[in-house]
Coordinates of all heavy atoms in Angstrom, one line a residue:
V30 N 40.7 -0.2 -106.2 CA 42.0 0.0 -106.9 C 42.7 1.2 -106.3 O 44.0 1.2 -106.2 CB 41.7 0.3 -108.4 CG1 40.8 1.5 -108.6 CG2 42.9 0.5 -109.2
F31 N 42.0 2.1 -105.6 CA 42.7 3.3 -105.0 C 43.1 2.9 -103.6 O 43.7 3.8 -102.9 CB 41.8 4.5 -105.0 CG 41.5 4.9 -106.5 CD1 40.2 4.8 -107.0 CD2 42.5 5.3 -107.3 CE1 40.0 5.2 -108.3 CE2 42.3 5.7 -108.6 CZ 41.0 5.6 -109.1
D32 N 42.8 1.7 -103.1 CA 43.4 1.2 -101.9 C 44.8 0.6 -102.2 O 45.7 0.7 -101.4 CB 42.6 0.1 -101.2 CG 41.3 0.7 -100.7 OD1 41.3 1.8 -100.2 OD2 40.3 0.0 -100.7
I33 N 44.9 0.0 -103.4 CA 46.1 -0.6 -103.8 C 47.1 0.5 -104.4 O 48.3 0.5 -104.0 CB 45.8 -1.7 -104.9 CG1 45.0 -2.8 -104.3 CG2 47.1 -2.2 -105.5 CD1 45.7 -3.7 -103.3
F34 N 46.6 1.4 -105.2 CA 47.4 2.5 -105.7 C 47.1 3.7 -105.0 O 46.1 4.3 -105.1 CB 47.2 2.7 -107.2 CG 47.5 1.5 -108.1 CD1 46.6 0.9 -108.9 CD2 48.8 1.0 -108.1 CE1 47.0 -0.2 -109.7 CE2 49.2 -0.1 -108.9 CZ 48.3 -0.7 -109.7
K35 N 48.1 4.1 -104.1 CA 47.9 5.4 -103.3 C 49.0 6.3 -103.5 O 50.2 5.9 -103.6 CB 47.8 5.0 -101.8 CG 46.6 4.2 -101.4 CD 46.6 4.0 -99.9 CE 47.5 2.9 -99.4 NZ 47.2 1.6 -99.8
I36 N 48.7 7.6 -103.7 CA 49.8 8.6 -103.8 C 50.4 8.8 -102.4 O 49.6 9.0 -101.4 CB 49.2 9.9 -104.4 CG1 48.7 9.6 -105.8 CG2 50.3 11.0 -104.4 CD1 47.9 10.8 -106.4
G37 N 51.7 8.7 -102.3 CA 52.3 8.8 -101.0 C 53.7 9.4 -101.0 O 54.1 9.9 -102.1
V38 N 54.3 9.3 -99.9 CA 55.7 9.8 -99.8 C 56.6 8.7 -99.4 O 56.2 7.8 -98.5 CB 55.7 10.9 -98.7 CG1 57.2 11.4 -98.5 CG2 54.9 12.1 -99.2
G39 N 57.8 8.6 -100.0 CA 58.8 7.6 -99.6 C 59.3 7.7 -98.2 O 59.1 8.8 -97.6
P40 N 60.1 6.8 -97.7 CA 60.5 5.6 -98.5 C 59.7 4.3 -98.3 O 60.0 3.3 -99.0 CB 62.0 5.4 -98.0 CG 61.9 5.8 -96.5 CD 60.9 7.0 -96.5
S41 N 58.8 4.3 -97.4 CA 58.1 3.0 -97.1 C 56.6 3.2 -96.9 O 56.2 4.1 -96.2 CB 58.7 2.4 -95.8 OG 58.0 1.3 -95.4
S42 N 55.8 2.3 -97.5 CA 54.4 2.4 -97.3 C 54.0 1.9 -95.9 O 53.1 2.5 -95.2 CB 53.6 1.5 -98.3 OG 54.2 0.3 -98.4
S43 N 54.7 0.9 -95.4 CA 54.3 0.4 -94.0 C 55.0 1.2 -92.9 O 54.4 1.4 -91.8 CB 54.7 -1.1 -93.9 OG 56.1 -1.2 -94.1
T45 N 56.4 4.5 -93.4 CA 56.2 6.0 -93.6 C 54.8 6.3 -93.8 O 54.2 7.0 -92.9 CB 57.1 6.5 -94.8 OG1 58.3 5.8 -94.8 CG2 57.3 8.0 -94.7
L46 N 54.2 5.8 -94.9 CA 52.8 6.2 -95.2 C 51.8 5.7 -94.1 O 50.9 6.5 -93.7 CB 52.4 5.7 -96.6 CG 51.0 6.0 -97.1 CD1 50.9 7.5 -97.2 CD2 50.8 5.4 -98.4
G47 N 51.9 4.5 -93.7 CA 51.0 3.9 -92.7 C 51.0 4.7 -91.4 O 50.0 5.2 -90.9
P101 N 50.0 13.3 -96.8 CA 51.1 12.8 -97.7 C 50.8 13.1 -99.2 O 51.8 13.1 -99.9 CB 51.2 11.3 -97.4 CG 49.9 10.9 -96.7 CD 49.4 12.2 -96.0
G173 N 50.9 -2.9 -94.0 CA 51.5 -3.1 -95.4 C 50.7 -2.3 -96.4 O 49.5 -2.1 -96.3
G174 N 51.5 -1.7 -97.4 CA 50.9 -1.0 -98.5 C 50.2 0.3 -98.1 O 49.4 0.8 -98.8
G175 N 50.5 0.8 -96.8 CA 49.9 2.0 -96.4 C 48.5 1.8 -95.7 O 47.9 2.7 -95.2
F176 N 48.1 0.5 -95.6 CA 46.9 0.2 -94.9 C 47.1 0.3 -93.4 O 48.2 -0.2 -92.9 CB 46.4 -1.3 -95.2 CG 45.8 -1.4 -96.6 CD1 46.7 -1.7 -97.7 CD2 44.5 -1.3 -96.9 CE1 46.2 -1.9 -99.0 CE2 44.0 -1.5 -98.1 CZ 44.8 -1.8 -99.2
I237 N 46.9 8.7 -111.1 CA 47.9 7.8 -110.5 C 49.0 7.7 -111.5 O 50.2 7.8 -111.2 CB 47.2 6.4 -110.3 CG1 46.3 6.5 -109.1 CG2 48.3 5.3 -110.1 CD1 46.9 6.7 -107.7
V240 N 51.3 10.7 -111.6 CA 52.3 10.8 -110.5 C 53.4 9.8 -110.7 O 54.6 10.0 -110.5 CB 51.6 10.5 -109.1 CG1 52.6 10.4 -108.0 CG2 50.6 11.6 -108.8
M241 N 53.1 8.6 -111.3 CA 54.1 7.6 -111.6 C 55.1 8.2 -112.7 O 56.3 8.1 -112.6 CB 53.5 6.4 -112.2 CG 52.8 5.5 -111.2 SD 52.1 4.0 -112.0 CE 51.5 3.1 -110.6
V309 N 62.3 5.8 -110.1 CA 61.2 5.9 -109.1 C 61.7 5.5 -107.7 O 61.4 6.2 -106.7 CB 60.1 4.9 -109.4 CG1 59.0 4.9 -108.4 CG2 59.4 5.2 -110.8
N313 N 61.9 7.5 -104.2 CA 61.3 7.0 -103.0 C 62.2 7.1 -101.9 O 61.9 7.5 -100.7 CB 60.8 5.5 -103.3 CG 60.2 4.9 -102.1 OD1 59.2 5.4 -101.6 ND2 60.8 3.9 -101.5
R318 N 57.7 11.9 -103.8 CA 56.4 11.5 -104.0 C 56.3 10.4 -105.0 O 56.7 10.5 -106.1 CB 55.5 12.7 -104.4 CG 54.0 12.3 -104.5 CD 53.1 13.5 -104.3 NE 53.0 13.9 -102.9 CZ 53.3 15.1 -102.5 NH1 53.7 16.1 -103.3 NH2 53.2 15.4 -101.2
V319 N 55.7 9.3 -104.6 CA 55.6 8.1 -105.5 C 54.2 7.5 -105.3 O 53.5 7.9 -104.3 CB 56.7 7.0 -105.2 CG1 58.1 7.5 -105.4 CG2 56.5 6.5 -103.8
V320 N 53.9 6.5 -106.1 CA 52.6 5.8 -105.9 C 52.9 4.4 -105.3 O 53.8 3.7 -105.8 CB 51.9 5.5 -107.2 CG1 50.7 4.6 -107.0 CG2 51.5 6.9 -107.9
T321 N 52.3 4.2 -104.2 CA 52.4 2.9 -103.5 C 51.8 1.8 -104.4 O 50.6 1.9 -104.7 CB 51.6 3.0 -102.2 OG1 52.3 3.9 -101.4 CG2 51.5 1.7 -101.4
A322 N 52.6 0.8 -104.9 CA 52.1 -0.1 -105.9 C 52.7 -1.5 -105.8 O 53.5 -1.9 -106.6 CB 52.5 0.5 -107.3
P323 N 52.3 -2.4 -104.8 CA 51.4 -2.1 -103.8 C 52.0 -1.4 -102.6 O 51.3 -1.1 -101.6 CB 50.8 -3.4 -103.5 CG 52.0 -4.4 -103.6 CD 52.8 -3.8 -104.7
T324 N 53.4 -1.3 -102.6 CA 54.1 -0.7 -101.5 C 55.1 0.3 -102.0 O 55.2 0.4 -103.2 CB 54.9 -1.8 -100.7 OG1 56.0 -2.3 -101.6 CG2 54.1 -3.0 -100.2
N325 N 55.7 1.0 -101.1 CA 56.7 2.0 -101.6 C 58.0 1.4 -102.0 O 58.6 1.8 -103.0 CB 56.9 3.1 -100.5 CG 55.9 4.1 -100.4 OD1 54.8 3.9 -100.8 ND2 56.3 5.3 -100.0
G326 N 58.4 0.4 -101.2 CA 59.7 -0.2 -101.5 C 59.7 -0.8 -102.9 O 60.7 -1.0 -103.6
A327 N 58.5 -1.2 -103.4 CA 58.3 -1.9 -104.7 C 57.6 -0.9 -105.7 O 57.1 -1.3 -106.7 CB 57.5 -3.1 -104.5
A328 N 57.7 0.4 -105.4 CA 57.0 1.4 -106.2 C 57.5 1.5 -107.6 O 56.8 2.1 -108.5 CB 57.0 2.7 -105.5
G329 N 58.7 1.0 -107.9 CA 59.2 1.2 -109.3 C 58.8 0.2 -110.3 O 58.9 0.4 -111.5
I331 N 55.8 -1.4 -111.3 CA 54.7 -1.1 -112.1 C 54.9 0.1 -113.1 O 54.6 0.0 -114.3 CB 53.4 -1.0 -111.3 CG1 53.0 -2.5 -110.9 CG2 52.2 -0.4 -112.1 CD1 51.9 -2.6 -109.9
P332 N 55.4 1.2 -112.6 CA 55.7 2.3 -113.5 C 56.7 1.9 -114.6 O 56.5 2.3 -115.8 CB 56.3 3.4 -112.6 CG 55.8 3.1 -111.3 CD 55.6 1.6 -111.2
I370 N 50.8 -8.3 -98.2 CA 51.7 -7.4 -99.0 C 52.6 -6.6 -98.0 O 53.0 -5.5 -98.3 CB 50.8 -6.4 -99.9 CG1 49.9 -5.6 -99.1 CG2 50.1 -7.2 -101.0 CD1 49.2 -4.4 -99.9
S384 N 54.4 -6.9 -106.6 CA 54.3 -5.9 -107.6 C 54.7 -6.5 -109.0 O 54.1 -6.1 -110.0 CB 55.3 -4.7 -107.3 OG 56.6 -5.2 -107.3
M387 N 51.6 -8.3 -110.2 CA 50.6 -7.3 -110.6 C 50.9 -6.8 -112.0 O 50.1 -6.7 -112.9 CB 50.6 -6.1 -109.6 CG 50.0 -6.5 -108.3 SD 50.3 -5.2 -107.0 CE 49.3 -3.8 -107.7

Side-chain angles (χ1 to χ4, degrees):
V30 60
F31 299 112
D32 293 324
I33 296 292
F34 294 124
K35 294 186 283 288
I36 299 169
V38 174
S41 168
S42 46
S43 56
T45 320
L46 184 60
F176 288 85
I237 289 289
V240 176
M241 288 180 174
V309 175
N313 181 58
R318 181 154 285 123
V319 298
V320 174
T321 293
T324 66
N325 277 30
I331 286 171
I370 58 169
S384 65
M387 291 167 66

